[in-house]
């Protein structure tokens, strides 16, 4: 019995010695061993190391058919069968002003909102939120053609994604250095004049002078909302002379029975209202520039550039100023461009591609001019888009 007691005691002492030795060994390794590298946090994309970002900020685009060929719609695959809704040759966005500007900025093609892949890498060149037939004012068909407010919601989603991926400070630098380009209003006026708008007085004596103010107030609110989201470089495009578009001229005749007396074959009443819209937008942008001095707001008067082309078309290489290159009927305005077989042989000689949209050749001239002031003059105020891009944020 005494042997068992002695053996039990010995085992207890041995266990204590082993425990103490183990603890001392553990302490030694904790205090002397090189600490392991911490587990890396989920990686963020370091955009600042990319030469693309350092040389060329992104371009984010809002607009109507002046920036989108019908691709940026929830049901684009179904709409592709309705070619009259796709106002570009072969549905290619390469014929539109934002595409030309992206190339001048050294950027790749800007994906549409419904084509983006929701990664930060996919956002570095920008996003095109524009939608053919989009309007400044809300529209009934919200599933396919996004109004300005719907496009704003999409850009705010993008900004939140950038903030999550880059962090607050880097996201602010990225958004603040990028260019936000807005080009809307054409479809508001076509709906207004030809009876497809709840705001439209048609030709029954409504107060047309209030309509530009309504649209420009909405645009100004959008610019303020963008500023509050961190945007600091904004380009607002005016509306080109819509009264000269083939469909406008034809619709005016059938709605009013009045012949076009202008030597250029344009509806002066509509162009005068468009001019009023553009001047009002310029005035509001000038006021915003004074009020929000840490931001740059640019207005580009494409109306004036367009009228220089119409005033001297041969000088700029155009032979046809009234009829659409792709369409049917009088001035090619009875229908849209349903098939490419309907298109003229030399679209570069036409001012108008289809019912309402300029040809690629016109868009190229306008893009050159808003970028550098040539060849149509300094149509952007207070500075060109190239100068805007090069301003340090």
């Amino acid at each position: 019995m005494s042997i068992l007691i002695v053996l039990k005691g010995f085992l207890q002492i041995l266990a204590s010695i082993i425990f103490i030795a183990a603890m001392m060994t553990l302490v030694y390794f904790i205090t002397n061993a090189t600490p392991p590298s911490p587990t890396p946090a989920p990686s963020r994309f370091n955009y600042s190391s990319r030469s693309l970002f350092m040389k060329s900020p992104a371009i984010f685009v809002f607009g109507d058919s002046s920036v989108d060929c019908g691709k940026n719609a929830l049901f684009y695959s179904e709409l592709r069968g309705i070619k009259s809704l796709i106002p570009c040759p072969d549905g290619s966005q390469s014929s539109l002003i934002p595409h030309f500007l992206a190339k001048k900025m050294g950027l790749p093609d800007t994906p549409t909102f419904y084509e983006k892949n929701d990664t930060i890498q996919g956002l570095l060149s920008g996003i095109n939120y524009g939608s053919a037939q989009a309007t400044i004012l809300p529209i009934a068909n919200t599933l396919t053609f996004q109004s300005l407010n719907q496009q704003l919601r999409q850009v705010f989603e993008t900004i939140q994604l950038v903030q999550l991926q880059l962090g607050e400070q880097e996201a602010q630098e990225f958004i603040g250095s990028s260019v936000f380009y807005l080009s809307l209003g054409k479809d508001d006026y076509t709906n207004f004049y030809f009876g497809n708008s709840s705001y439209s007085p048609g030709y029954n004596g409504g107060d047309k002078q209030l309509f530009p103010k309504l649209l420009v107030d909405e645009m100004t609110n959008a610019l303020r909302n963008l500023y509050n989201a961190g945007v600091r470089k904004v380009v607002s495009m005016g509306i080109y002379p819509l009264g000269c578009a083939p469909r406008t001229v034809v619709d005016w005749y059938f709605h009013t029975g009045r012949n076009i007396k202008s030597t250029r074959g344009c509806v002066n009443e509509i162009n005068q209202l468009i001019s009023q819209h553009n001047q009002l937008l310029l005035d509001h942008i000038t006021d915003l520039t004074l009020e929000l001095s840490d931001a740059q707001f640019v207005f580009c008067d494409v109306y004036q550039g367009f009228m220089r082309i119409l005033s001297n078309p041969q000088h700029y290489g155009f032979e046809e100023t009234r009829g659409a290159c792709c369409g049917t009927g009088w001035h090619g305005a009875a229908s849209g461009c349903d098939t490419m077989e309907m298109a003229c042989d030399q679209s570069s000689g036409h001012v108008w591609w289809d019912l309402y949209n300029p040809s690629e050749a016109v868009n190229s001239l306008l893009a050159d001019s808003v970028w550098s002031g040539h060849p149509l003059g300094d149509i952007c105020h207070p500075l060109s888009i190239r100068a805007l891009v090069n301003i340090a944020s």
Side-chain angles (χ1 to χ4, degrees), residues 62-309:
F62 303 74
D64 48 31
S65 58
S66 61
V67 305
D68 172 58
C69 291
K71 297 177 67 176
N72 202 18
L74 285 172
F75 305 110
Y76 172 63
S77 58
E78 287 78 9
L79 292 175
R80 290 188 67 181
I82 311 174
K83 296 294 181 63
S84 59
L85 297 179
I86 305 176
C88 309
D90 298 323
S92 170
Q93 317 239 99
S94 63
S95 62
L96 303 178
I97 293 177
H99 172 84
F100 292 119
L101 292 178
K103 289 180 66 176
K104 294 176 186 298
M105 294 169 66
L107 297 171
D109 291 342
T110 305
T112 68
F113 180 75
Y114 291 108
E115 292 175 320
K116 64 181 176 57
N117 58 17
D118 284 332
T119 66
I120 192 61
Q121 292 91 337
L123 301 177
L124 280 181
S125 63
I127 296 292
N128 188 340
Y129 306 92
S131 177
Q133 299 189 0
T135 52
I136 296 172
L137 299 176
I139 54 179
N141 187 356
T142 59
L143 290 178
T144 49
F145 307 117
Q146 287 82 22
S147 67
L148 173 59
N149 282 338
Q150 290 170 294
Q151 293 180 37
L152 280 173
R153 285 196 292 270
Q154 292 171 351
V155 78
F156 295 150
E157 290 177 15
T158 301
I159 290 175
Q160 290 178 346
L161 177 61
V162 171
Q163 290 171 338
L164 288 173
Q165 294 285 337
L166 298 181
E168 192 70 30
Q169 181 176 350
E170 292 182 348
Q172 183 178 350
E173 293 175 4
F174 175 69
I175 296 301
S177 66
S178 296
V179 174
F180 287 72
Y181 175 104
L182 293 86
S183 177
L184 295 108
K186 168 180 64 69
D187 290 286
D188 291 274
Y189 281 98
T190 57
N191 292 340
F192 176 78
Y193 265 101
F194 302 115
N196 297 321
S197 169
S198 59
Y199 300 94
S200 174
Y203 291 95
N204 299 319
D207 190 350
K208 300 178 180 66
Q209 303 307 312
L210 293 178
F211 194 60
K213 184 179 186 305
L214 180 64
L215 295 180
V216 171
D217 284 348
E218 286 292 319
M219 286 288 288
T220 305
N221 289 336
L223 298 183
R224 287 185 179 277
N225 289 334
L226 287 171
Y227 175 84
N228 292 334
V231 173
R232 293 297 180 265
K233 294 182 179 182
V234 181
V235 175
S236 292
M237 305 293 284
I239 302 173
Y240 54 76
L242 185 61
C244 302
R247 185 57 174 265
T248 302
V249 172
V250 171
D251 279 350
W252 173 269
Y253 175 80
F254 283 111
H255 276 76
T256 67
R258 289 183 254 172
N259 290 321
I260 305 302
K261 298 179 181 180
S262 168
T263 57
R264 297 193 188 101
C266 303
V267 182
N268 286 333
E269 179 179 322
I270 294 179
N271 278 351
Q272 288 169 4
L273 201 63
I274 297 297
S275 295
Q276 180 183 336
H277 173 102
N278 289 340
Q279 183 61 51
L280 192 59
L281 182 56
L282 172 59
D283 292 342
H284 280 235
I285 286 175
T286 301
D287 291 340
L288 280 178
T289 301
L290 294 174
E291 177 188 349
L292 307 172
S293 58
D294 61 331
Q296 295 288 336
F297 296 93
V298 173
F299 171 76
C300 293
D301 193 353
V302 291
Y303 182 101
Q304 295 301 325
F306 211 115
M307 292 306 291
R308 285 170 188 155
I309 294 174

Side-chain angles (χ1 to χ4, degrees), residues 45-56 121 124:
F45 184 79
N46 184 10
Y47 76 90
S48 60
S49 66
R50 283 184 59 107
S51 59
L52 174 64
F53 174 80
M54 298 300 291
K55 294 180 180 179
S56 300
Q121 292 91 337
L124 280 181

Side-chain angles (χ1 to χ4, degrees), residues 326-359:
C326 194
T328 61
W330 186 26
H331 290 327
S335 68
C337 190
D338 296 324
T339 66
M340 287 305 298
E341 287 72 21
M342 296 167 54
C344 61
D345 293 333
Q346 297 292 331
S347 62
S348 60
H350 279 65
V351 168
W352 300 99
W353 165 251
D354 65 359
L355 306 177
Y356 296 112
N357 297 283
S359 66

